[in-house]
Each structure stands twice: as structure tokens, then as C-alpha cells.
């Protein structure tokens, strides 16, 4: 009886860990979630008040391909996995030389490595060949749950129930007091065509998905990297793919730069029927680095040239189009819930943000002041909601934008992170400038971990190395930086989870930043 009880308990924990991941606990894909928010809602240690002691906890050299634009893509994470070897925390890294690597992210230890067949190493400018999209994990597309209040367990040393002299005993009311929590978002209505989501509490396979340079989609067991089934043809070889995401038993990815003659656009692969659909664009490229963003009903949104297009799931039929008056989109969209609506923000090459309501793309709700210089390739945005309920949008910026209306943290001569608030003013939804960070060299899209903004100064080859900064979310003021910990520049971006922030540099070194612990 005790044996069966133990097995049942382990199975319950496994399902719970899987559910936690499916509903937003893990960094699953480019931008963390289907909406490309770059936001980790909860963390047990990271907070604006507790950045002391944050440092490199491990680094790992990965064999990479010389000349690749991005040598190691930010990992997809599985922070709570129970296997026959016990509890594990795993990260799945895509390497430009057509490798997928599994790492124990708690210990910084290589778990497994798989190499895939590839085509040519490069087919021209902007066409690196090999594995160009980050590894992803199948996921649900509903909004991840918001930050949760502390539990009733003790996270600090034991303390007597008797106060200091003259204070008296601690009352139950005081002991159970909790800080005010952000208002719960109103539920967004699901459409009849929304993808059917896997029940995370039911038994199902835990696997990661990679798209190699030969254009085939590969599904791998998270425990050992072995393929769960035969590779499935998806793209022509040597396409430049980005933003791979899997939901509703369908894989989606964007292709750009017309590499190897592959049309720019968005592709969908039904993983049951193996049918491939393709939406094409005549634009020179698909905007951004994170790929399409997805609303909870499964609709995909992607920028191409001066158009932002909504596409139906699976068939990729055009649902709606927003056209600018000339500026071209330069970032993947970010989608978020705001007062019961699905709103979207994307950057254009005139250095502005466009704010849209996905229910009506014909006209923008607002267009921001030019936070960045012209022709800035923003790449991706970040969005989060603070405890007061205020919605924020953050964007990397090059020099040359206005600082009017922003709280400035220094001259912007190279680049910075610009922060906006979404507000209601005169009956309209607007973008209000908030702050601009300190100067950064080639800033990557920022990420937010439990109220801390992490900004990566990517540096430049031969002149400056990458530096990671932690910023105050309300003011942009510096809380911490990594100094000289990284010894090369970075083009990879970041991901985060389990009190770790992951950054790779162009020499193939993968860094994990966090709070050192004894093992």
C-alpha cells in the first residue's frame, strides 16, 4: 500500500509540474509565451529589493559554427521535471551548427547533445544556414496566470510569536496579512475556432521541438534528446526560420530574407496529418526576431513591410490587415490583455510604437513619440503588469530618439531601453512615455522577472563585451550589473526561469546568472 501511495504521489507531482509549465510557469518559446511578452510572472528570489549577490552561477562552452549570426539561441526551459533519476531542471538550447543540447540548468551540466543533418553553411547575407530558430516546447495559448501572492509556508528564519518588549504577542490577523494584489484581469472570450488545448493534468508526453537546417521538424524526449518519432518535412532546406512555436498540435514558424529562394512568410505544420500550409508576403522580410504572436483564440499576428497581418490558425488565411502610412514594422508584435481586450504593440522603422486593438486592426489606438532613431531594428518588445495594475511596454532603442516626456537615466549615445505605460486619457487608450535607461551598446529586447527589468548591452565585436543589467521597473535606475563577467559580445537575447537569467555570447559560451547555492 505504501508503495502505491508513493507512486501516486510522484505521479501527482509530475502532472502538477506539467500543468505549471503549460499554464505559464516555464519559459516555453521565443518571448516566453505565445503572446511574446518576455515576462516571467513569479520568482522565489529575484525582486527589486534583493539583487545583492546576483552573479554568474555557471558557464558552459558549446561547440558552435564560426560566422553564425547567433551561435546559441536562448533556451526553452523545464524547471520542474520528475524522472527515474529524480527531480530535474532542464534547458534546451539550439546551436547554430545544427545541434540541440539538453542541460541540467541547476548544475550547469551537459545532459545530452544531438546533431542534425544540415545543408550549406550560408546562402548569402542574412542567411546563416543551420538551426536558426530557438528550441520550443508545445504549449497552450491562453494568457499565463498573473503573479501569485506568497504562500503560507515560511520563506524566512523562524521567529517567535512574542514581540519585542512592549509589543505584545503577534496576532493571527497580523501574521496572515498580505500586501494588496493586482486586480484579476477580466476573462477574454474564446472564439469557436480556438485550438483545442491539452489538459495538463492528464498523462502526456513531455518533449521539445527543433527545426534544423534541413527543414525537418524534430520532436525529442526531454530526458535524453531521442526523437519521439521520425522527422517531419516542414520547410525547404536552408531557410532562415524564426519564432518556432507549437500549440493545438500544430507547429508554426516565420521565414525571412528569402534565404535559399524560400518565400518570406509564415508556415504551419499539422503534426497529425503532416500537412503544411504557407502564407506568403511580398515584403523583403518578416519583422522581428520572435516570430508571430498569438491571441488566446489561436490567431497569429505578424508584421511584414508596412502591414501587420492577422492569420487564422492552421490554414493561415488572412483575417485582418493593419497598414501604416509608410513606416515598416521592425519588431515582432507583443499581445496583452487590457480591460477585457486583446491589445497589440509593435515597433516601426521610424522609431515609434503602434498600439492596436486586435478586434479592429483598421486604425491604431495610438502611435508613440519616436523613442528610437530611424531604421532601428527593434527585434522584439516586452510587456508586463505591475502590482497596481498598470500595463507597461518596453522596447530596445538606438540613439536618436526623443527623450521628451521620459524620465532619463543618462545620455543615449549608443542605445537604451525605453518604457511606456498604457493609460486612459480623454476617453482613449494611449501610450505614455515613462523612462529611458542608461546607455547600452546594441541593446537586446528586455525581459521582466518578478518585477525586475533585465537589459542586455550586447556590446560590439572587438570593442566591447556583453553586460547584463538589472533595472528598477518604475524608474529604469540601475540595480545591478554583471561587470566584466562575460568576455565576448552577444547577439542572442535572453531567457529566464527558476531564478536564472540566461545569456549566450558569440564565442559559444552560455552564462547562467542567479544566486549561488551550495550543492
Amino acid at each position: 500500500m505504501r508503495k502505491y501511495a508513493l507512486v501516486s504521489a510522484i505521479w501527482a507531482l509530475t502532472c502538477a509540474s506539467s500543468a505549471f509549465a503549460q499554464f505559464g510557469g516555464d519559459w516555453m518559446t521565443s518571448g516566453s509565451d505565445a503572446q511574446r511578452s518576455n515576462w516571467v510572472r513569479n520568482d522565489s528570489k529575484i525582486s527589486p529589493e534583493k539583487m545583492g549577490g546576483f552573479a554568474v552561477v555557471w558557464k558552459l562552452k558549446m561547440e558552435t559554427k564560426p560566422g553564425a549570426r547567433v551561435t546559441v539561441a536562448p533556451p526553452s526551459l523545464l524547471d520542474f521535471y520528475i524522472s527515474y533519476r529524480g527531480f530535474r531542471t532542464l534547458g534546451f538550447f539550439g546551436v547554430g551548427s545544427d545541434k540541440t543540447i539538453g542541460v541540467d540548468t541547476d548544475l550547469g551540466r551537459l545532459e545530452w547533445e544531438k546533431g542534425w543533418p544540415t545543408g550549406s553553411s550560408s546562402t548569402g547575407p542574412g542567411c546563416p544556414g543551420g538551426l536558426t530558430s530557438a528550441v520550443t516546447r508545445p504549449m497552450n495559448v491562453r494568457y499565463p496566470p498573473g503573479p501569485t501572492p506568497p504562500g503560507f509556508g515560511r520563506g524566512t528564519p523562524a521567529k517567535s510569536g512574542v514581540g519585542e518588549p512592549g509589543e505584545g504577542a503577534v496576532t493571527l490577523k497580523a501574521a496572515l496579512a498580505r500586501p494588496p494584489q493586482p486586480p484579476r484581469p477580466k476573462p477574454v472570450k474564446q472564439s469557436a475556432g480556438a485550438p483545442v488545448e491539452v489538459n495538463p493534468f492528464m498523462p502526456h508526453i513531455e518533449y521539445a521541438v527543433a527545426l534544423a537546417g534541413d527543414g525537418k521538424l524534430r520532436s525529442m524526449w526531454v530526458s535524453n534528446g531521442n526523437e519521439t518519432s521520425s522527422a517531419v518535412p516542414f520547410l525547404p532546406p536552408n531557410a532562415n526560420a524564426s519564432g518556432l512555436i507549437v500549440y493545438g498540435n500544430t507547429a508554426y514558424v516565420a521565414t525571412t530574407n528569402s534565404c535559399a529562394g524560400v518565400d518570406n512568410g509564415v508556415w504551419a505544420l499539422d503534426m497529425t496529418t503532416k500537412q503544411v500550409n504557407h502564407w506568403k508576403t511580398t515584403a523583403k522580410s518578416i519583422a522581428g526576431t520572435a516570430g508571430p504572436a498569438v491571441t488566446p483564440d489561436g490567431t497569429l499576428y505578424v508584421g511584414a513591410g508596412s502591414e501587420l497581418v492577422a492569420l487564422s490558425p492552421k490554414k493561415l488565411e488572412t483575417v485582418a490587415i493593419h497598414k501604416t502610412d509608410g513606416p515598416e514594422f521592425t519588431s515582432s508584435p507583443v499581445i496583452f490583455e487590457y480591460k477585457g481586450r486583446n491589445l497589440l504593440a509593435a515597433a516601426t522603422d521610424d522609431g515609434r510604437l503602434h498600439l492596436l486593438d486586435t478586434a479592429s486592426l483598421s486604425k491604431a489606438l495610438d502611435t508613440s513619440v519616436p523613442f528610437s532613431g530611424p531604421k532601428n531594428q527593434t527585434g522584439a518588445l516586452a510587456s508586463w503588469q505591475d502590482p497596481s495594475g498598470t500595463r507597461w511596454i518596453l522596447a530596445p532603442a538606438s540613439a536618436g530618439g526623443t527623450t521628451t516626456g521620459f524620465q532619463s537615466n543618462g545620455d543615449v549615445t549608443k542605445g537604451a531601453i525605453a518604457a511606456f505605460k498604457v493609460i486612459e486619457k480623454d476617453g482613449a487608450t494611449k501610450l505614455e512615455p515613462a523612462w529611458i535607461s542608461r546607455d547600452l551598446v546594441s541593446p537586446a529586447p528586455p525581459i521582466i522577472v518578478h518585477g525586475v527589468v533585465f537589459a542586455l548591452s550586447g556590446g560590439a565585436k572587438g570593442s566591447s563585451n556583453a553586460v547584463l543589467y538589472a533595472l528598477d521597473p518604475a524608474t529604469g535606475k540601475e540595480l545591478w550589473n554583471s561587470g566584466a563577467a562575460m568576455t565576448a559580445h552577444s547577439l542572442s537575447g535572453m531567457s529566464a526561469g527558476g531564478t536564472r537569467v540566461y545569456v549566450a555570447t558569440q564565442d559559444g559560451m552560455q552564462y547562467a546568472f542567479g544566486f549561488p547555492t551550495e550543492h
Side-chain angles (χ1 to χ4, degrees):
M1 181 65 69
R2 292 177 62 187
K3 176 181 178 181
Y4 292 118
L6 178 60
V7 171
S8 298
I10 292 176
W11 178 248
L13 282 170
T14 303
C15 289
S17 67
S18 175
F20 181 71
Q22 289 282 327
F23 288 111
D26 284 343
W27 189 286
M28 304 286 283
T29 187
S30 297
S32 181
D33 49 41
Q35 292 75 41
R36 314 297 191 183
S37 72
N38 281 301
W39 178 23
V40 178
R41 273 76 172 165
N42 295 292
D43 191 275
S44 61
K45 296 181 180 178
I46 294 175
S47 70
E49 300 79 24
K50 299 178 181 179
M51 290 306 297
F54 204 69
V56 175
V57 292
W58 57 259
K59 56 184 179 180
L60 185 65
K61 179 73 172 180
M62 298 184 180
E63 184 181 347
T64 58
K65 179 177 61 180
R69 185 190 179 277
V70 174
T71 54
V72 183
S76 175
L77 301 172
L78 178 53
D79 283 333
F80 186 61
Y81 177 64
I82 305 174
S83 72
Y84 66 93
R85 291 185 291 176
F87 294 85
R88 319 288 284 174
T89 59
L90 300 173
F92 312 104
F93 298 78
V95 182
S97 54
D98 261 331
K99 291 181 181 179
T100 306
I101 296 175
V103 173
D104 183 318
T105 55
D106 182 35
L107 302 176
R109 180 179 63 194
L110 180 68
E111 292 285 294
W112 50 262
E113 179 178 318
K114 298 293 178 179
W116 312 117
T118 186
S120 61
S121 60
S122 176
T123 57
C127 301
L131 194 152
T132 56
S133 182
V135 179
T136 192
R137 291 175 53 213
M139 60 190 304
N140 290 328
V141 295
R142 67 184 64 182
Y143 289 114
T148 56
F152 286 89
R154 189 179 72 238
T156 57
K159 183 179 179 181
S160 168
V162 179
E164 297 298 325
E167 288 184 353
V170 177
T171 65
L172 183 62
K173 180 179 179 180
L176 297 181
R178 292 290 184 268
Q181 299 302 311
R184 292 181 179 271
K186 297 179 181 178
V188 179
K189 186 178 180 181
Q190 300 279 315
S191 73
V196 177
E197 297 183 340
V198 175
N199 181 350
F201 295 98
M202 296 296 291
H204 63 276
I205 298 171
E206 286 284 6
Y207 62 98
V209 179
L211 181 60
D214 63 357
K216 293 183 179 180
L217 190 74
R218 289 174 164 81
S219 301
M220 303 155 287
W221 303 112
V222 297
S223 57
N224 56 19
N226 292 341
E227 292 185 70
T228 64
S229 57
S230 300
V232 182
F234 190 4
L235 303 181
N238 301 311
N240 187 23
S242 63
L244 178 65
I245 186 171
V246 178
Y247 63 91
N249 209 35
T250 304
Y252 302 88
V253 76
T255 53
T256 191
N257 295 343
S258 300
C259 294
V262 178
D263 291 319
N264 296 333
V266 178
W267 303 66
L269 169 64
D270 188 311
M271 298 175 71
T272 302
T273 66
K274 310 301 188 287
Q275 180 180 349
V276 175
N277 291 317
H278 181 202
W279 171 83
K280 301 178 183 179
T281 177
T282 58
K284 294 180 180 179
S285 64
I286 294 293
T289 56
V294 186
T295 46
D297 66 357
T299 303
L300 299 93
Y301 293 81
V302 64
S306 60
E307 296 182 343
L308 192 140
V309 185
L311 302 171
S312 65
K314 291 187 180 290
K315 293 185 177 181
L316 299 181
E317 296 170 337
T318 300
V319 176
I321 299 177
H322 172 78
K323 297 183 178 181
T324 69
D325 56 2
E328 297 190 353
F329 287 97
T330 62
S331 79
S332 299
V334 62
I335 292 171
F336 52 92
E337 192 277 338
Y338 182 78
K339 298 184 182 299
R341 297 177 289 168
N342 294 316
L343 299 192
L344 175 153
T348 48
D349 62 5
D350 57 353
R352 299 175 187 267
L353 289 184
H354 293 243
L355 183 65
L356 306 168
D357 187 333
T358 61
S360 178
L361 290 184
S362 58
K363 184 179 180 180
L365 296 173
D366 194 23
T367 302
S368 75
V369 297
F371 66 92
S372 177
K375 306 300 180 182
N376 178 46
Q377 293 299 313
T378 305
L381 308 173
S383 180
W384 73 293
Q385 181 175 289
D386 70 21
S388 71
T390 300
R391 172 62 61 171
W392 295 76
I393 301 173
L394 281 65
S398 63
T402 182
T403 57
T404 303
F406 289 95
Q407 174 181 311
S408 178
N409 285 278
D411 294 335
V412 180
T413 61
K414 298 180 179 67
I417 300 300
F420 292 84
K421 294 180 182 180
V422 180
I423 64 167
E424 297 295 317
K425 185 176 181 180
D426 300 327
T429 306
K430 298 285 188 180
L431 291 166
E432 179 181 73
W435 52 260
I436 287 182
S437 74
R438 55 156 294 150
D439 208 19
L440 304 171
V441 180
S442 300
I447 63 175
I448 302 96
V449 181
H450 201 212
V452 175
V453 176
F454 285 94
L456 176 63
S457 178
K461 184 178 181 179
S463 60
S464 58
N465 297 335
V467 180
L468 180 63
Y469 293 88
L471 307 178
D472 184 281
T475 65
K477 294 185 181 299
E478 183 180 327
L479 301 173
W480 170 90
N481 73 75
S482 64
M486 292 182 279
T487 56
H489 71 296
S490 174
L491 298 172
S492 71
M494 300 175 281
S495 67
T499 313
R500 300 278 196 274
V501 176
Y502 299 93
V503 180
T505 49
Q506 287 300 95
D507 57 357
M509 190 68 74
Q510 176 66 51
Y511 296 85
F513 292 89
F515 296 98
T517 57
E518 294 182 0
H519 290 284

